[in-house]
């Protein structure tokens, strides 16, 4: 298994993880706003 | 996710993110998500779109987590069946510990997020459904009894109840009927599949009904479960819990389901049989559930 291949795989996983975390931040923000709207 | 492997010449290649996605059984998830969404839309209380989206997302994540834990536990028998041999674990593209961590983490995350976005009733039912699928169906029943999918079918029947609970915060008669419908639909659906995948299950030592009790008994059982399933499918209309759109679709689709399952019940397979009627029943059973639940949601939207 060459190092280049391992690094490539790690990079693609890191990118997906980053996108998922960004989506989570947006979702939590959206949920908070929605709950405030529902409560008011 | 799996821990990053040190980049040496002997280190195994870290699993691809697509393998983690495959671990969640995305195709199975589509029906679960759809029935959950319809349960949510059928509720008499409107839910904020963002919260509704989150509830459906959590149902999907919970189902994915249950699928991942199922594959973690069943890697040995998955390797023996043609249908499942290419999954990430039996194919050697992922180590078991990564699958376990991913499944447990995703399960906990989905339950907590659902609680945060909606209410504890929905979150508790989601937790129960994941535990039921993993502990009761996968660990306890699947390798021990031909009734595995009858009792285990309850796990797949929870999503409409979770959707309903997310919107209303409680569980009433209609979601219980929807639960019963999916519960009674599961045996004819899976036994139709098991009839034409019998050799696969036998090879893996999974005691599916056609392997243990034979084809004749399985065909009769398919019909025996179809009849109460149809009765339950018609109950929401009969009890005035759903409108005419649902009534017409449920009646029409149930007639076709009854015809297909009767045809399967009455026939005997020949040597090298293509099992066309069994495949047709399996395919239609998926369409049936989609159709009936879509009609329920449409009914509610039109009436609203």
């Amino acid at each position: 298994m060459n190092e280049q291949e391992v690094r490539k795989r790690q990079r693609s996983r890191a990118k997906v993880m980053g996108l998922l975390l960004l989506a989570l931040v947006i979702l939590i923000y959206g949920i908070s706003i929605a709950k405030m709207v529902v409560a008011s | 996710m799996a821990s990053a492997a040190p980049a040496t010449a002997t280190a195994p290649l870290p699993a691809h993110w697509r393998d983690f996605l495959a671990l969640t059984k995305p195709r199975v998830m589509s029906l679960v998500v759809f029935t959950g969404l319809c349960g949510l839309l059928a509720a008499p209380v409107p839910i904020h779109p963002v919260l509704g989206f989150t509830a459906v997302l959590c149902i999907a994540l919970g189902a994915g987590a249950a699928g991942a834990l199922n594959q973690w536990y069943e890697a040995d028998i998955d390797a023996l069946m043609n249908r499942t041999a290419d999954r990430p674990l039996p194919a050697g593209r992922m180590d078991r510990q990564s699958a376990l961590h991913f499944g447990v983490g995703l399960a906990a995350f989905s339950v907590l997020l659902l609680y945060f976005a909606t209410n504890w009733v929905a979150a508790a039912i989601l937790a129960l459904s994941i535990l039921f699928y993993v502990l009761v169906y996968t660990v306890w029943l699947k390798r021990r009894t031909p009734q595995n999918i009858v009792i285990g079918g309850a796990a797949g029947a929870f999503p409409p109840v979770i959707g309903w609970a997310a919107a209303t915060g409680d569980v009433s008669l209609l979601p219980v009927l929807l639960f019963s419908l999916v519960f009674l639909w599961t045996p004819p659906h899976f036994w139709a599949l098991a009839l034409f995948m019998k050799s696969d299950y036998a090879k893996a030592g999974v005691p599916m009904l056609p392997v243990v009790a034979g084809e004749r008994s399985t065909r009769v059982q398919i019909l025996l479960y179809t009849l109460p399933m149809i009765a339950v499918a018609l109950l929401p209309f009969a009890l005035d819990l759903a409108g005419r759109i649902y009534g017409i679709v449920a009646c029409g689709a149930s007639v076709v389901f009854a015809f297909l399952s009767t045809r399967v019940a009455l026939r005997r397979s020949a040597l090298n049989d293509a099992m066309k009627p069994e495949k047709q029943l399996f395919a239609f059973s998926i369409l049936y559930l989609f159709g009936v639940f879509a009609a329920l949601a449409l009914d509610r939207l039109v009436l609203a």
Side-chain angles (χ1 to χ4, degrees):
Chain A
M1 202 65 62
N2 72 47
E3 190 177 328
Q4 209 178 7
E5 229 174 311
V6 173
R7 293 286 174 232
K8 193 178 154 199
R9 187 68 63 90
Q10 286 174 337
R11 257 198 309 275
S12 85
R13 279 172 51 157
K15 274 182 198 162
V16 171
M17 203 62 203
L19 286 174
L20 288 175
L21 285 172
L22 182 69
L24 179 65
V25 169
I26 295 168
L27 184 66
I28 299 282
Y29 177 74
I31 292 169
S32 305
I33 299 293
K35 291 196 96 166
M36 283 192 281
V37 170
V38 171
S40 64
Chain B
M1 294 274 179
S3 57
T8 64
T10 53
L13 195 61
H16 198 282
W17 65 266
R18 284 193 191 91
D19 288 325
F20 284 98
L21 183 67
L23 215 55
T24 63
K25 302 186 183 177
R27 282 175 64 189
V28 175
M29 202 195 280
S30 60
L31 201 59
V32 166
V33 166
F34 187 73
T35 56
L37 173 68
C38 290
L40 189 129
L41 292 175
V45 184
I47 185 168
H48 191 286
V50 174
L51 302 181
F53 168 79
T54 309
V56 174
L57 178 71
C58 289
I59 292 171
L61 294 178
L69 290 169
N70 170 274
Q71 289 192 44
W72 163 75
Y73 190 78
E74 292 190 341
D76 57 336
I77 54 174
D78 278 351
L80 301 173
M81 294 196 282
N82 295 333
R83 189 171 63 87
T84 52
D86 195 40
R87 284 177 175 174
L89 288 171
R93 297 194 304 273
M94 185 187 287
D95 63 293
R96 290 192 78 213
Q97 204 180 26
S98 297
L100 177 64
H101 290 173
F102 177 71
V104 172
L106 196 61
F109 174 74
S110 64
V111 172
L112 287 173
L113 185 64
L114 188 59
Y115 171 68
F116 174 61
T118 62
N119 55 69
W120 73 267
V121 178
I125 301 171
L126 179 62
L128 179 69
S129 69
I130 297 169
L131 290 173
F132 194 92
Y133 185 74
V134 176
L135 298 178
V136 178
Y137 172 67
T138 305
V139 177
W140 182 33
L141 297 171
K142 188 163 179 182
R143 299 179 195 224
R144 285 182 175 81
T145 166
Q147 295 300 312
N148 48 17
I149 55 110
V150 177
I151 307 163
F158 280 112
V161 187
I162 300 168
W164 179 284
T168 63
D170 60 26
V171 177
S172 59
L173 182 58
L174 184 57
V176 171
L177 289 176
L178 297 178
F179 175 93
S180 310
L181 172 59
V182 182
F183 181 72
L184 291 166
W185 166 91
T186 307
H189 168 75
F190 274 108
W191 285 336
L193 170 77
L195 279 171
F196 58 84
M197 301 294 272
K198 190 175 148 189
S199 57
D200 243 18
Y201 285 114
K203 203 163 72 177
V206 178
M208 288 297 276
L209 200 61
V211 179
V212 176
E215 266 195 31
R216 188 74 243 129
S217 170
T218 307
R219 291 173 186 280
V220 173
Q221 294 281 329
I222 283 176
L223 186 60
L224 287 179
Y225 274 91
T226 300
L227 300 175
M229 182 205 76
I230 289 173
V232 169
L234 299 177
L235 269 179
F237 179 66
L239 296 174
D240 211 19
L241 298 168
R244 266 178 292 181
I245 296 173
Y246 176 84
I248 292 165
V249 173
C251 267
S254 295
V255 168
V256 179
F257 202 118
F259 167 73
L260 292 174
S261 63
T262 306
R263 192 172 61 164
V264 166
L266 296 178
R267 82 185 283 271
R268 275 164 198 249
S269 62
L271 198 67
N272 295 324
D273 198 309
M275 302 293 246
K276 209 173 160 193
E278 291 76 11
K279 287 176 183 168
Q280 281 176 344
L281 174 62
F282 176 73
F284 181 77
S285 65
I286 299 169
L287 191 67
Y288 177 85
L289 209 63
F290 266 111
V292 167
F293 273 83
L296 183 73
L298 191 66
D299 216 21
R300 200 59 87 165
L301 294 173
V302 169
L303 287 175

